[in-house]
Amino acid sequence: ILVALLLLVSIKSFSQQLVKYSIDKDVSINLPDNSVLTDTLGQKMIKGNISGINVIFLRALEKDKKTIIESKADLIDFYTGFQKGYAQSVNGKIVKSKIIDKDNLKASLFECKTKMNNLHLSINGLVVFLNNYAYTVQFFNVGAGTADYEAQKKNHISFFTIS
């Protein structure tokens, strides 16, 4: 009984309260209440960890240009360019990519493989282009089991809302 009580207290003390973080008036995500928000030169970022999964929520302005999206082809070209730039920035390679519907917008869901500090790493990302900003949610598995990681990733994508 003592072991069960200690286990219950430990689980409660390590549980995380999710709160809604807004990066803009129309874009938000639920992350643990101890997540860190930074705002540097128009780029807003929130970093959190839940169940062994690092989550980064980012808003980046398309610098020095106004991106015009007039068709689905333009949007796919933007997402392809975004993914290429992302892969380059982490010295990686995009291995999966698909267009999905997210809150009545087309979004890009992708997986990038890279190597950091001699570790092979798979980074999953979701990017949505809205009002000349690229909003991304990135997932790094740093200790969760594969099934838990997939469930948490799917859960966080559902927590990412655009109104």
Side-chain angles (χ1 to χ4, degrees), residues 21-133:
Y21 285 91
S22 293
I23 264 191
D24 277 331
K25 64 182 175 100
D26 298 327
V27 183
S28 63
I29 192 168
N30 291 344
L31 287 174
D33 59 358
N34 62 346
S35 298
V36 177
L37 172 65
T38 58
D39 189 350
T40 308
L41 303 173
Q43 178 173 295
K44 290 185 178 181
M45 181 174 11
I46 303 167
K47 295 179 186 177
N49 182 296
I50 185 165
S51 301
I53 300 168
N54 285 333
V55 180
I56 298 176
F57 181 38
L58 177 69
R59 179 197 77 180
L61 179 64
E62 289 302 295
K63 294 180 181 180
D64 304 324
K65 66 179 179 177
K66 178 76 175 166
T67 302
I68 307 294
I69 305 291
E70 294 180 336
S71 66
K72 185 176 179 180
D74 290 345
L75 187 60
I76 290 171
D77 287 347
F78 172 81
Y79 287 147
T80 300
F82 179 92
Q83 291 171 14
K84 283 181 184 176
Y86 183 86
Q88 234 177 7
S89 74
V90 297
N91 295 315
K93 181 179 179 181
I94 301 298
V95 294
K96 290 182 189 173
S97 177
K98 68 178 178 178
I99 301 298
I100 65 168
D101 290 315
K102 180 67 184 149
D103 298 332
N104 297 315
L105 295 173
K106 295 293 182 194
S108 176
L109 189 61
F110 64 92
E111 180 179 354
C112 181
K113 299 276 188 181
T114 188
K115 188 175 180 181
M116 292 183 188
N117 299 326
N118 292 322
L119 294 173
H120 292 278
L121 187 61
S122 179
I123 305 166
N124 295 99
L126 172 72
V127 61
V128 175
F129 183 78
L130 180 66
N131 298 328
N132 216 45
Y133 288 98

